Amino acid sequence: MTLPTATESKDVILEVCNLSKYYPVNQSFFSGKKALLHAVDNVSFQVNRGEVLGLVGESGCGKTTTGRLIVRLATPTSGRILIENTDVADIKGQGMMEFRQKVQMIFQDPYESLDPRMTIFDIVAEPLNVNGIGTFEEREAQVEEMLNLVGLAPPSAFLFRFPHELSGGQRQRVAIARALVVRPSFVVADEPTSMLDVSIRTGIMKLMAQLREDLGISYLYITHDLAVARYLCDRIAVMYLGQIVELGDSEDIVKKPVHPYTKALISAVPVPDPAIERPIPNIKGGVSKPIDPKPRCRFYDRCPESESSCAEAKNPELRDIGGGHLVACHLL
Amino acid sequence: MNELVPTHETGSASLAEPLWKIRWKLIRRGIAQNWEIFKESRIGMLGIILIIAFGIFGAMWPIMINTVWDPMVYDPVVGFDPMTMHPSPPSATHLFGTDPIGRDILAQLMYSTGREFLLGVLSAVITVVIGTAVGTAAAYYGGFIDTFFMRIADIILLFPFIPLLVVIGSMVRLSFLPFAVIMGVLGGFGGITIILKAQALSVSVRPYIDAARIAGGSDFHIIVSHIIPNVLPLSFLYMMFSVTSAILSEATLSFFGVLNIDMSWGMMIHTADVAGYLFDFAKYWWLWAPAGLAITLFCAAFYMVGRGLDEVVNPRLRKR
């Protein structure tokens, strides 16, 4: 597969090459035949410094697995992940500590991602403690600064509370403060707003956009919400059954979707106007299982535009159709 | 709540109080909150009252023997009252009567109380420390460690250890401390490991464990500062039940006379038994009833405290 080459002038912070993660599944108790679930299948993309790349797709398409692979919570079956030109798989010992400070993750569920037995101070200071950064006074100053930055002011009112005493939005702010306290250059945000109320969601999104401006962080923003992705992200990658089917500038993807799946996804976004009659998405059936998929286009079974040639053709690769807009479809 | 919040202005990097003071206040507040929940459980409070009563009873022993009672007569092991026939029923001089070789039952009961406390608590602490460590390690590392310790737990759980200890005891005559340690170790590798492992397993897949790993925490850090603190309430609960099982085992083995213990509640019944007085147990009730009742109430007390703690640890059991 030819890699989509980034323009050389840009500083690439994350490069993912042909990344795959297969999980073995037992299809039947008696047959003993091992099948492979292709959670992430041959995914390649890049994130430039200071950029926000949105990873969009429906449940079970492998977005979260991709994020977990990048932060090394899981080991890839094959493929490479380069962060600032160092292969993540090769990192050991002292390098691991630097990696953990460079790359952080914000989790989906703020109710579960904070240890219920720790105070806010301990939670936010934990990355500093385990990495042995600074003296106690410096850590404390950093924690207070970070809490101020994420909008938990005054910090003294929050330092010695427990997570269960905070609201969902406040908890997610704590989780963000904890991720950013080591000043990472790259953050994987795994649906940080999906568990929150709509009213709080905007606040968190604004905060993340603001922090990106202030601290110069690059994000991989994983979400199933195209509106969120459009608001926050410079570029959007659309995933379907473990593969990227379309990748391009946010506005391009939202306004001029090319891949049939992206089109269906965009037509499904609700419009806050009852007068507008929305087109019914014309895709067929449900999501097929990513267990030992056939070597043809993953979207073939549901594609409204599929032609007979698609059935025989191999899985389409991402092709540039101009302006850095990549699409994986035979019909272009 | 509000007195915990330092009163300084935003952004200054100094806490109003030293950190340990704040932490101490947080711990005290946590204990106070849990005590409020515990208080609502009647059975738990009854257990606490019983334990305190036993505590006072046991603490009276050194006072009584040093002030009121003549050690020659009232010593629980070598005392003898030459003034009456033995065993004598309860009287003014011997409130609970005397045993077949002329020793005061009440003195024996009091003397044993402190030692039962020591035995129960020591073996329960050993049980819980081993159980927590092994259970957590098995849950976190899985694989061989998990299989190995779980099979040991299965064996201990299924093997009839009381009969085995009777056999071993008749050969080596375990004394007090070694017996407490053996009970603790057996308990620690036994059923409690499975329970604590299950809890540790459910803790170790929570997102905050992933979060700690991403923060850069080592396995040791994750186990010690995240998994164990979240398993500890359950450990503490099972500590109460372990006390009960240790005391019961001691009483059983003492009754069979296979322990090298000079005096205990089980020993008291054993003494009555070997002298043949249990054949007419209704007539010589004071030989076995006080000790039997003490064992029952003591074990029940810890069990009831455990039930009360259960409501603190498992919010689903609470009435409100």
Side-chain angles (χ1 to χ4, degrees):
Chain A
M1 176 174 177
T2 49
L3 272 174
T5 46
T7 38
E8 291 303 317
S9 61
K10 278 185 183 161
D11 187 4
V12 177
I13 189 158
L14 168 78
E15 188 170 352
V16 173
C17 308
N18 301 10
L19 185 68
S20 298
K21 176 70 180 176
Y22 302 155
Y23 289 103
V25 281
N26 281 337
Q27 275 191 315
S28 151
F29 182 76
F30 294 106
S31 75
K33 193 183 77 186
K34 279 280 195 302
L36 289 176
L37 187 144
H38 294 222
V40 177
D41 200 358
N42 212 4
V43 161
S44 303
F45 60 86
Q46 290 170 329
V47 180
N48 300 319
R49 195 174 288 280
E51 186 190 43
V52 181
L53 176 71
L55 204 53
V56 184
E58 58 197 302
S59 304
C61 73
K63 326 182 279 287
T64 301
T65 309
T66 311
R68 289 174 67 87
L69 289 170
I70 290 168
V71 296
R72 258 189 80 160
L73 280 178
T75 21
T77 311
S78 64
R80 288 193 309 154
I81 300 162
L82 301 170
I83 284 187
E84 289 177 343
N85 291 322
T86 26
D87 195 327
V88 171
D90 295 339
I91 296 171
K92 283 185 197 78
Q94 185 62 32
M96 198 63 200
M97 262 167 92
E98 283 165 26
F99 173 74
R100 288 301 185 206
Q101 290 167 43
K102 222 180 323 184
V103 180
Q104 281 290 321
M105 185 164 180
I106 300 167
F107 290 86
Q108 179 175 9
D109 187 350
Y111 294 85
E112 283 281 309
S113 65
L114 308 176
D115 189 334
R117 302 207 163 261
M118 282 184 146
T119 60
I120 302 306
F121 173 74
D122 290 325
I123 289 169
V124 179
E126 190 182 21
L128 300 174
N129 287 336
V130 293
N131 289 306
I133 300 168
T135 62
F136 175 74
E137 282 76 23
E138 285 164 11
R139 284 175 200 166
E140 198 205 306
Q142 281 223 43
V143 168
E144 295 202 357
E145 191 194 332
M146 219 54 235
L147 288 180
N148 263 327
L149 215 55
V150 297
L152 293 176
S156 54
F158 293 95
L159 277 181
F160 294 100
R161 293 222 191 155
F162 288 96
H164 66 84
E165 297 173 310
L166 268 52
S167 73
Q170 287 173 329
R171 286 184 203 205
Q172 197 58 288
R173 283 170 196 268
V174 171
I176 292 171
R178 171 198 166 92
L180 301 188
V181 76
V182 284
R183 303 298 154 121
S185 45
F186 183 73
V187 171
V188 175
D190 185 4
E191 309 208 37
T193 57
S194 69
M195 299 291 281
L196 302 175
D197 260 23
V198 183
S199 52
I200 299 160
R201 204 173 281 182
T202 340
I204 297 289
M205 276 159 56
K206 278 190 181 139
L207 169 69
M208 293 194 62
Q210 186 62 42
L211 289 173
R212 173 201 173 194
E213 298 280 313
D214 294 350
L215 307 175
I217 302 166
S218 323
Y219 289 114
L220 177 70
Y221 197 95
I222 298 167
T223 178
H224 58 257
D225 191 338
L226 266 171
V228 171
R230 184 184 181 185
Y231 175 83
L232 267 178
C233 306
D234 303 308
R235 290 190 302 147
I236 293 177
V238 181
M239 271 186 98
Y240 184 76
L241 283 189
Q243 297 193 318
I244 291 180
V245 292
E246 188 163 0
L247 197 161
D249 289 339
S250 300
E251 289 306 306
D252 274 1
I253 295 277
V254 174
K255 294 225 174 92
K256 292 179 286 179
V258 179
H259 196 280
Y261 178 66
T262 319
K263 283 182 195 164
L265 212 56
I266 298 222
S267 72
V269 173
V271 183
D273 183 354
I276 292 177
E277 204 168 307
R278 291 194 291 140
I280 297 161
N282 53 352
I283 52 172
K284 301 166 270 186
V287 193
S288 34
K289 277 189 186 150
I291 298 169
D292 288 339
K294 287 180 184 148
R296 64 182 176 203
C297 176
R298 292 285 157 85
F299 195 53
Y300 173 76
D301 294 328
R302 305 176 71 195
C303 187
E305 298 168 25
S306 62
E307 290 170 3
S308 54
S309 64
C310 290
E312 279 87 50
K314 278 193 173 168
N315 202 1
E317 291 176 357
L318 279 175
R319 279 181 301 148
D320 200 333
I321 58 162
H325 194 147
L326 307 168
V327 184
C329 186
H330 291 304
L331 304 172
L332 297 169
Chain B
M1 169 67 228
N2 275 327
E3 81 273 16
L4 292 171
V5 176
T7 49
H8 64 86
E9 285 302 306
T10 308
S12 76
S14 63
L15 300 170
E17 291 176 280
L19 191 70
W20 64 266
K21 244 182 181 171
I22 297 175
R23 284 200 202 283
W24 175 237
K25 274 188 181 175
L26 285 171
I27 292 168
R28 271 211 329 237
R29 195 183 82 196
I31 292 173
Q33 281 170 350
N34 287 336
W35 174 244
E36 285 301 313
I37 301 165
F38 185 84
K39 267 203 308 200
E40 289 190 8
S41 141
R42 244 180 249 162
I43 196 168
M45 285 309 285
L46 187 59
I48 288 273
I49 290 167
L50 274 174
I51 289 177
I52 291 172
F54 270 110
I56 295 169
F57 188 64
M60 271 161 61
W61 161 252
I63 301 168
M64 293 297 278
I65 197 70
N66 285 324
T67 55
V68 185
W69 286 342
D70 174 10
M72 290 297 283
V73 178
Y74 287 94
D75 188 279
V77 185
V78 294
F80 181 75
D81 187 356
M83 307 307 284
T84 51
M85 294 282 288
H86 301 296
S88 70
S91 63
T93 41
H94 303 287
L95 284 177
F96 283 7
T98 59
D99 78 350
I101 44 178
R103 303 178 293 190
D104 186 76
I105 298 271
L106 183 61
Q108 292 180 337
L109 216 52
M110 275 187 175
Y111 171 78
S112 303
T113 307
R115 308 186 26 140
E116 302 287 347
F117 264 112
L118 184 65
L119 170 86
V121 172
L122 178 66
S123 95
V125 166
I126 294 173
T127 296
V128 160
V129 168
I130 294 177
T132 309
V134 171
T136 311
Y140 187 78
Y141 292 106
F144 174 75
I145 295 178
D146 184 19
T147 315
F148 179 73
F149 284 115
M150 286 305 112
R151 290 302 82 76
I152 288 185
D154 287 343
I155 291 168
I156 290 181
L157 210 57
L158 295 172
F159 206 84
F161 269 91
I162 296 290
L164 183 75
L165 280 174
V166 170
V167 175
I168 294 176
S170 48
M171 289 189 287
V172 284
R173 290 256 155 190
L174 293 166
S175 62
F176 188 79
L177 280 180
F179 176 72
V181 172
I182 287 181
M183 283 313 296
V185 171
L186 279 182
F189 284 107
I192 194 169
T193 316
I194 300 176
I195 293 159
L196 295 180
K197 181 210 155 188
Q199 174 75 4
L201 207 54
S202 91
V203 170
S204 63
V205 294
R206 301 270 166 86
Y208 58 79
I209 301 298
D210 278 344
R213 202 166 289 140
I214 291 201
S218 57
D219 289 351
F220 182 75
H221 169 83
I222 289 170
I223 290 178
V224 169
S225 39
H226 293 282
I227 299 182
I228 288 186
N230 282 289
V231 173
L232 222 48
L234 201 69
S235 306
F236 192 60
L237 168 63
Y238 278 91
M239 200 160 125
M240 296 299 146
F241 298 138
S242 303
V243 171
T244 303
S245 77
I247 300 289
L248 276 180
S249 313
E250 185 273 337
T252 313
L253 292 175
S254 291
F255 174 73
F256 286 122
V258 293
L259 293 180
N260 184 19
I261 292 177
D262 54 2
M263 186 47 59
S264 76
W265 295 334
M267 260 330 252
M268 291 166 70
I269 304 177
H270 171 70
T271 311
D273 183 42
V274 290
Y277 286 97
L278 286 193
F279 289 110
D280 200 356
F281 62 87
K283 190 179 170 197
Y284 297 104
W285 59 271
W286 68 90
L287 292 180
W288 54 269
L293 206 62
I295 294 168
T296 312
L297 286 180
F298 196 77
C299 291
F302 280 94
Y303 177 75
M304 288 191 282
V305 171
R307 284 285 303 278
L309 278 176
D310 214 4
E311 291 189 19
V312 178
V313 176
N314 302 333
R316 269 174 305 162
L317 298 177
R318 282 177 212 162
K319 289 184 200 88
R320 49 185 164 139

